[in-house]
Amino acid sequence: MNLILFGPPGSGKGTQAKRLVDERGMVQLSTGDMLRAAIASNSPLGQKVAPIMASGALVPDEIVIALIAERMDEADAAGGAIFDGFPRTLAQAEALDAMLAGRGSRIDVVIRLLVDDAALLARVTGRFEEQGRPDDNPETFKTRLGAYNTQTAPLLPYYEGQGKLKIVDGMGAMEVVSTAVANVLETIAA
Ligand code: AMP
């Protein structure tokens, strides 16, 4: 199964993806994690994207599309994946559809985690204090939320038009959200 976890920063995509990895052995493809790994290894790619990520803006489409294409061809991802933080633009969504079609596959479902802006800010501020992830600081968070609203939210009608969009209330406790996600997946598997 190919699943997109969709939502703004702090909506719980990574947390829910990790649950699905632990509980169902699914494979998580997080472009944010891939980019942070590139920065940690100080590779040329990491050096290129570090200032962009620090600003809260999106990195160029061709970079993340290439990362995903490479990762999709690894054996563990052959049976499907959870896309976490990708796609974030229409160009990425179209590229993903084409990449999957080329592999005889497709996106099965897009789960939108709905969380209000005040809760997002509270969560990301908490994560900043706990983990010190630089782009979680409140100023940069505003830029990230702006990028979501202008560049990523327009994907909602794209997936709605494909009949793939499901909405999950992401405001509750992690367990409650996990149950709601599992319920959606059951309707897809059925
Ligand atoms: P995330 O961990 O998903 O919140 O991503 C952290 C940062 O990585 C974002 O603010 C962007 O700068 C960059 N990034 C991650 N995924 C993408 C993507 N699909 N397209 C563009 N930029 C991305």
Side-chain angles (χ1 to χ4, degrees):
M1 172 186 293
N2 288 296
L3 154 72
I4 297 175
L5 284 175
F6 195 94
S11 57
K13 302 184 297 293
T15 304
Q16 294 302 328
K18 286 192 174 67
R19 289 288 294 250
L20 294 170
V21 169
D22 292 345
E23 288 169 10
R24 298 174 183 240
M26 293 175 81
V27 174
Q28 175 191 14
L29 303 190
S30 158
T31 40
D33 285 352
M34 294 175 201
L35 293 165
R36 279 184 289 278
I39 293 175
S41 71
N42 202 26
S43 66
L45 173 67
Q47 290 174 15
K48 182 168 178 188
V49 299
I52 305 173
M53 286 176 72
S55 77
L58 296 186
V59 308
D61 287 332
E62 59 273 20
I63 291 180
V64 286
I65 291 168
L67 284 173
I68 284 283
E70 206 174 297
R71 187 64 185 84
M72 274 167 72
D73 284 335
E74 288 175 34
D76 63 333
I82 307 163
F83 294 90
D84 160 15
F86 180 94
R88 267 176 153 100
T89 64
L90 195 56
Q92 293 176 25
E94 288 170 350
L96 179 59
D97 279 350
M99 288 190 280
L100 288 168
R103 290 164 175 81
S105 190
R106 67 193 152 82
I107 290 296
D108 296 289
V109 64
V110 179
I111 297 182
R112 176 186 188 189
L113 298 173
L114 206 56
V115 178
D116 70 38
D117 285 1
L120 294 175
L121 179 62
R123 284 185 191 181
V124 172
T125 305
R127 187 165 72 180
F128 180 56
E129 282 158 9
E130 274 168 33
Q131 301 172 14
R133 194 176 127 179
D135 61 347
D136 277 342
N137 78 74
E139 268 314 300
T140 311
F141 172 73
K142 274 188 214 153
T143 307
R144 291 168 63 203
L145 192 56
Y148 172 81
N149 286 324
T150 57
Q151 292 170 273
T152 306
L155 292 184
L156 292 167
Y158 177 80
Y159 287 117
E160 178 132 55
Q162 293 187 357
K164 292 180 178 166
L165 186 64
K166 303 280 178 195
I167 296 177
V168 160
D169 179 356
M171 292 289 288
M174 187 175 87
E175 306 293 330
V176 177
V177 179
S178 293
T179 303
V181 168
N183 289 342
V184 170
L185 295 185
E186 246 149 65
T187 66
I188 303 305

